[in-house]
Amino acid sequence: MKNRSGGSTHLHVKIIDFGLSEQDKATFVEDLAPCSDSWDIVPVLGSSRTDVMDCSMGRETVMGLHGVPPRDRLVCPEPFAKLAINFDGSTSVCCADWSHGTVVGNVVRESVGDMWTGRRLASFRLCHLLGNRATIPACRSCGLIRSFAPFADLDDQRERLLKIFAGVGIRDLTPAPRGFPGCLPELAAS
């Protein structure tokens, strides 16, 4: 992928260190570094749907990404930064979405660019910006949102981002696409 894309696509691969041996880590780097632009081995952090399954393996998140202590926030940066392509081609908003509750498309049927600029991801982003993250089951009790570094914090950018969405036709996003019901109650009433 790295050598074939020829565009501005950046392929980042990562693995969660759930007790990997040094040999496992070395194998991961050896196998994937040559075919990716960047790689990372990350600690066990919060995951989506913690109300259904605890993926923390009994570990409390005491340190977030980039060595920063966890903190509460309203807006998750994931839908504004990346997409996660799952084993079957379905494409989720978040790599912590083990339940596939944030799927916005499938790379088998549509391009990443179409998904990135599409209605489903825009609706998902709006849901977070409007403070309705809890209406998305995969996001409701997610612990990953607390783990991001301060530079990824979008809470202070909510109003600016909402204006951008208003400029591209916020009403075109109602009713919310199937899969994110109740995401935009303020808009559905208007």
Side-chain angles (χ1 to χ4, degrees):
M1 172 100 173
K2 178 172 110 173
N3 296 327
R4 289 184 288 185
S5 70
S8 60
T9 302
H10 180 94
L11 180 62
H12 179 81
V13 294
K14 68 179 173 181
I15 190 169
I16 298 170
D17 183 357
F18 53 89
L20 296 172
S21 69
E22 292 304 315
Q23 179 59 47
D24 290 337
K25 292 176 187 179
T27 299
F28 170 78
V29 173
E30 182 181 308
D31 289 349
L32 294 170
C35 61
S36 63
D37 296 301
S38 60
W39 56 269
D40 204 0
I41 300 172
V42 298
V44 174
L45 299 168
S47 67
S48 70
R49 298 300 311 254
T50 56
D51 57 321
V52 175
M53 179 176 27
D54 178 15
C55 295
S56 69
M57 300 174 62
R59 300 177 186 185
E60 181 182 346
T61 303
V62 294
M63 199 57 64
L65 295 170
H66 308 287
V68 178
R71 68 181 277 291
D72 292 327
R73 53 180 43 93
L74 295 171
V75 180
C76 179
E78 287 292 278
F80 299 89
K82 60 185 98 165
L83 293 172
I85 300 171
N86 302 309
F87 71 96
D88 61 355
S90 64
T91 305
S92 299
V93 172
C94 178
C95 64
D97 178 24
W98 62 267
S99 68
H100 293 200
T102 67
V103 172
V104 293
N106 190 304
V107 295
V108 174
R109 294 185 294 278
E110 58 196 309
S111 74
V112 171
D114 287 345
M115 285 184 274
W116 187 254
T117 59
R119 185 171 185 255
R120 289 182 57 85
L121 184 54
S123 175
F124 192 93
R125 289 170 173 156
L126 272 171
C127 202
H128 278 254
L129 291 170
L130 292 170
N132 296 331
R133 181 173 58 88
T135 64
I136 304 170
C139 300
R140 182 177 300 128
S141 60
C142 180
L144 183 62
I145 190 171
R146 301 186 74 242
S147 301
F148 295 107
F151 66 78
D153 198 340
L154 295 178
D155 287 0
D156 293 341
Q157 301 297 318
R158 286 174 65 208
E159 293 302 317
R160 183 181 69 79
L161 291 168
L162 281 168
K163 287 178 186 175
I164 291 169
F165 277 96
V168 296
I170 200 167
R171 296 211 180 275
D172 293 340
L173 300 175
T174 55
R178 190 175 67 75
F180 309 123
C183 240
L184 306 171
E186 294 89 348
L187 297 177
S190 57

